[in-house]
Amino acid sequence: EHKPKHLGKIFLSDNIINADGCRGLAKLLQGEDSSLTGLYLGNNKIDDEGVGILVDALQNNSTLRRLNLKRNNDISTHGQCMLLKLVNNISSINATLQSNHTLEQVDVSP
């Protein structure tokens, strides 16, 4: 499977991306060869399932700095909490240390 090696940012707003699309994007976020620093997915059809897929892919990602999910109106408070736990899991000291500290900006505004 081919992954672009020097891809820095992807702008895919307004493309009706749903959980299936998130599965494909997750492949770009996983692995040590990921170079993506910005993923812009505003105004799509991403819901909590899609957020869960992205969160799983970002657990060990050390390159993505910005994730834009604004105007994805199917993301509930549960989806927002999944994103919060990704960047700052306070359930234990160990979980806090293992949180994703590279991701600086996550936008889920309406």
Side-chain angles (χ1 to χ4, degrees):
E1 186 171 309
H2 173 71
K3 278 193 204 178
K5 294 189 192 264
H6 302 291
L7 191 60
K9 297 176 183 173
I10 297 179
F11 295 87
L12 291 172
S13 296
D14 305 305
N15 276 289
I16 316 174
I17 293 170
N18 59 15
D20 290 332
C22 289
R23 283 184 191 85
L25 291 167
K27 294 176 185 176
L28 293 175
L29 298 168
Q30 295 171 325
E32 293 180 17
D33 58 345
S34 177
S35 61
L36 207 55
T37 60
L39 183 55
Y40 300 87
L41 300 171
N43 200 30
N44 280 292
K45 299 292 181 189
I46 297 171
D47 58 9
D48 291 347
E49 180 184 1
V51 168
I53 292 163
L54 294 173
V55 164
D56 287 345
L58 288 168
Q59 290 293 329
N60 296 310
N61 180 286
S62 61
T63 60
L64 195 73
R65 294 180 155 328
R66 287 175 176 60
L67 176 61
N68 182 317
L69 293 169
K70 66 183 176 182
R71 296 186 324 272
N72 281 283
N73 298 326
D74 293 329
I75 298 174
S76 72
T77 303
H78 176 70
Q80 293 173 5
C81 287
M82 284 190 282
L83 289 162
L84 182 59
K85 281 182 83 173
L86 171 69
V87 296
N88 190 23
N89 186 343
I90 60 170
S91 63
S92 71
I93 292 172
N94 201 28
T96 301
L97 293 172
Q98 293 176 351
S99 295
N100 182 317
H101 298 287
T102 307
L103 196 54
E104 299 170 348
Q105 181 182 18
V106 178
D107 187 352
V108 290
S109 60

